[in-house]
Amino acid sequence: MPEPLSTLVPAAREGDQHAWDAIVDRFLPLVGAIVRGHRLSEVDGDDVSQTVWLRLVEHLGDLREPDALPGWIRTTTRNECLRLLAARGRVRPVDPQEDGAAGGLDAVEDDVAADDLLAAERRQLLRDALDELPAGRRDLLLLLLEDPPVGYEEISRRLGIPIGSIGPTRARALDQLRRTRSLRGLGPDLVGGERS
């Protein structure tokens, strides 16, 4: 069982090398996945990774909630990847003498990987936010999202709540979901509606 972030983060702030090593070991795969998603070279990926860990050393004291560390690492890594790509101007070498040279020199490619990565990050944030909800509210939201849809009668039976309270409970659950640590700071489009 890995040590909780509530223990590791304060220990790392105090300079505990074991805590730092545990944090890096735990989140290095996340950093690597985001770097690969941006299709960076190995050298550029190493630069991004090194910058992320340096930023963490600089800003760990600013992190108020230890459980927010995964989101901070995810956001910082993505920002560093995008910063590096912007600095490089997304240059793609093309041999103009080659027949059908990858669409020619004027070809413009959509960055599908960035869109896919953003969608994956949002799905993970939503899963993290659902984990913050009380079990009953989380179960209700998950049942309402089932495909094929589950009827209110079945939801009432499974959760042991009156049919008439499903709608109001859903509204309260969505409101609470919007205010979770995992979704704080994101736009309202992730879970719908206005934020309070």
Side-chain angles (χ1 to χ4, degrees):
M1 186 78 177
E3 291 182 66
L5 292 175
S6 58
T7 302
L8 288 176
V9 170
R13 279 186 193 132
E14 298 299 317
D16 182 331
Q17 189 60 47
H18 167 73
W20 276 107
D21 292 344
I23 289 171
V24 171
D25 288 345
R26 187 178 302 179
F27 294 107
L28 193 57
L30 173 64
V31 171
I34 294 170
V35 165
R36 284 189 301 279
H38 282 84
R39 293 180 274 164
L40 298 180
S41 70
E42 187 176 339
V43 171
D44 288 342
D46 289 344
D47 287 348
V48 165
S49 183
Q50 185 176 10
T51 302
V52 167
W53 300 120
L54 178 61
R55 298 266 185 272
L56 182 58
V57 169
E58 294 170 345
H59 296 285
L60 190 62
D62 301 335
L63 193 66
R64 285 179 267 145
E65 285 289 332
D67 289 334
L69 181 61
W72 186 94
I73 289 174
R74 196 174 10 257
T75 300
T76 302
T77 304
R78 185 173 48 91
N79 289 344
E80 285 302 318
C81 288
L82 295 174
R83 184 194 58 74
L84 185 116
L85 289 171
R88 298 259 162 94
R90 295 292 300 212
V91 175
R92 184 174 52 93
V94 175
D95 183 356
Q97 300 299 317
E98 188 177 300
D99 284 340
L105 294 173
D106 297 326
V108 175
E109 294 182 17
D110 292 333
D111 195 354
V112 175
D115 293 341
D116 290 346
L117 184 62
L118 182 60
E121 287 178 10
R122 285 183 161 216
R123 283 191 299 272
Q124 183 59 50
L125 285 173
L126 190 53
R127 281 191 293 272
D128 294 344
L130 284 167
D131 286 342
E132 293 180 42
L133 294 181
R137 289 185 177 181
R138 177 179 57 245
D139 294 344
L140 174 62
L141 291 179
L142 291 174
L143 281 172
L144 289 167
L145 293 173
E146 291 239 350
D147 188 23
V150 178
Y152 272 29
E153 295 83 11
E154 179 64 15
I155 292 173
S156 173
R157 187 189 67 71
R158 287 190 197 178
L159 299 180
I161 60 175
I163 291 174
S165 69
I166 291 175
T169 304
R170 173 190 168 270
R172 287 190 297 274
L174 285 173
D175 186 52
Q176 187 176 5
L177 184 69
R178 288 181 191 105
R179 290 179 284 135
T180 59
R181 281 191 313 267
S182 298
L183 299 185
R184 237 179 253 146
L186 293 180
D189 60 315
L190 186 63
V191 290
E194 291 299 314
R195 297 179 61 115
S196 52

